[in-house]
Amino acid sequence: MRFLLPVLLCLIPHWAAADDAETVDAFGALLHEAQLVLTRPPGFVDLSPGRNPILDYEHALRSADGSLEIRLAVRPLGRLEIDYDDPHGAVPNPEHVFPLVFESLATRLSGGRHAPSLPYPPDQARTKFNADWAAAALFDTVSDFATDHKQGLLVAIHRNKVSDAYLVFLFDDYPAVKERLNAAMGTLVFTPVDTADPPGESQPR
């Protein structure tokens, strides 16, 4: 499966729909290709992949009480195709557009409303996610994202020449889920550069 990234004057992220028959093995292979490790937070259950007009996602998790949901979208750079409709400009390099994709996605998730965002300092991106770049944005949800939750936190992580990944945390009451949300930040991280262990799914911590 390849992912289509159209660009028309401004950057608009859109991904090819995930296959309904996406299996655990296929998702594991996608994680391996993207050099990512999934660690299921204690007490969370797996959900099926999902399609919606804003962001298709390959996996999701939900807390036992349903108060916190995590949607995961994995985008290996080798699979990205950029549909660029500007005859006077060069097609953007997928390696250079990830901050714009993040901002565009945050805007779409919030329905064009204010979605305060902030990049992580490089040392925090490496410490938290083994990433070369990472950023987060808070937003109020819209119906197109197919959720009953009212609020969300988008976290984007990037490893140079490898992949991008998006974690979307969905909830209704931030103070009520803050502790679990912070603990779940390590749900999807890049493998350490010097590790000898293969990427994939680890055991819950």
Side-chain angles (χ1 to χ4, degrees):
M1 176 173 56
R2 300 186 69 82
F3 303 101
L4 179 65
L5 182 62
V7 182
L8 178 58
L9 299 182
C10 61
L11 189 66
I12 303 174
H14 172 75
W15 314 103
D19 190 340
D20 287 335
E22 187 83 18
T23 64
V24 173
D25 288 344
F27 183 59
L30 183 63
L31 293 177
H32 188 277
E33 179 183 351
Q35 298 184 8
L36 290 162
V37 176
L38 169 67
T39 301
R40 186 182 295 101
F44 279 65
V45 297
D46 293 324
L47 301 177
S48 299
R51 299 179 179 182
N52 61 76
I54 298 178
L55 178 68
D56 294 333
Y57 52 96
E58 290 73 51
H59 196 71
L61 302 158
R62 183 174 59 204
S63 62
D65 63 1
S67 63
L68 180 61
E69 182 179 333
I70 311 170
R71 298 180 179 181
L72 308 174
V74 178
R75 304 289 180 258
L77 296 186
R79 298 195 191 193
L80 288 180
E81 296 178 352
I82 295 181
D83 182 10
Y84 190 62
D85 193 19
D86 182 357
H88 304 293
V91 176
N93 186 330
E95 188 67 46
H96 302 152
V97 300
F98 52 89
L100 298 177
V101 173
F102 164 73
E103 293 293 346
S104 181
L105 181 55
T107 297
R108 289 168 60 91
L109 286 168
S110 65
R113 295 168 295 185
H114 182 54
S117 64
L118 191 68
Y120 285 88
D123 59 333
Q124 288 189 23
R126 287 189 293 269
T127 300
K128 286 180 174 290
F129 308 109
N130 296 318
D132 293 309
W133 178 91
L138 284 167
F139 62 93
D140 293 329
T141 61
V142 293
S143 59
D144 281 349
F145 199 48
T147 178
D148 293 328
H149 291 291
K150 298 177 181 178
Q151 296 178 303
L153 173 68
L154 168 67
V155 176
I157 60 177
H158 169 85
R159 172 168 284 181
N160 293 337
K161 300 182 180 180
V162 179
S163 66
D164 298 327
Y166 303 93
L167 302 87
V168 184
F169 299 87
L170 298 167
F171 46 88
D172 292 313
D173 184 359
Y174 176 73
V177 301
K178 180 179 179 181
E179 184 175 341
R180 278 183 296 171
L181 193 155
N182 287 338
M185 278 291 176
T187 298
L188 196 65
V189 302
F190 289 107
T191 55
V193 174
D194 57 353
T195 185
D197 297 329
E201 182 173 358
S202 67
Q203 296 300 315
R205 290 183 292 202

